Amino acid sequence: MADEESNQMARIGSLNVLTLAFTAGTLMTVLVIADAAHGGVDGDGDLDTVFANGFFDRNRVCLGDGSGGFTCSDLITGGQGTQGVAVGDVDGDGNADVVFAGGPSEVCLGDGSGGFICSGLSTDRLVSEGVAMGDVDGDGDLDAVFANFEGVFKVCLGDGSGVSPVAT
């Protein structure tokens, strides 16, 4: 169980640093994270957190136990350099999915138990710095909007089976 007073989030320049400590006094890890998103990714009704860990570490999914504790594991994706993350049901199956912004940007379809299958998204090879999801075209499916380093945003339209692999 986590000691809530020992858990800390700090910002150092443009980096977020998360320190998780446990009652046994051992430090779980110190993550340098670029972004975090919350959602119920394992279907148990507790809040879970997905971390985009920038260029320094692997992305992580931390499953909440409902009383302040988390079980964390690596979320293996095709590349490093993720700068943003968003959680939502992009394929309409009722399970939370994850979209990462970075180089490369990726969509990870959730299986409802905290597992994911990831595939790349084309954002015209621009370095994406952030991502948000919403229904931008009014068709009832979640779409992903990427903020890119070059200042041009890109939209990947959802079709109910995921988000389009090609940005518009």
Side-chain angles (χ1 to χ4, degrees), residues 71-157:
T71 301
C72 300
S73 61
D74 290 343
L75 179 54
I76 306 300
T77 57
Q80 288 185 313
T82 54
Q83 300 300 308
V85 61
V87 175
D89 183 11
V90 298
D91 61 359
D93 66 356
N95 299 324
D97 307 309
V98 177
V99 176
F100 288 104
S105 294
E106 298 186 77
V107 61
C108 300
L109 300 179
D111 64 9
S113 65
F116 297 90
I117 296 174
C118 301
S119 60
L121 291 171
S122 171
T123 54
D124 292 342
R125 303 202 188 281
L126 299 173
V127 177
S128 297
E129 296 288 320
V131 62
M133 287 196 284
D135 183 11
V136 298
D137 60 358
D139 66 355
D141 300 317
L142 278 180
D143 309 307
V145 179
F146 294 88
N148 292 312
F149 180 72
E150 290 85 356
V152 178
F153 72 90
K154 294 291 180 178
V155 177
C156 290
L157 297 176

Side-chain angles (χ1 to χ4, degrees), residues 9-18 31-36 52-53:
M9 176 76 83
R11 189 149 179 95
I12 302 172
S14 64
L15 301 175
N16 295 309
V17 179
L18 175 67
L31 300 172
V32 178
I33 60 174
D35 197 11
N53 284 330

Side-chain angles (χ1 to χ4, degrees), residues 1-4 6-7 20-26 65-71:
M1 172 183 266
D3 177 358
E4 293 180 22
S6 298
N7 295 338
L20 298 177
F22 292 84
T23 54
T26 59
D65 66 9
S67 49
F70 291 87
T71 301

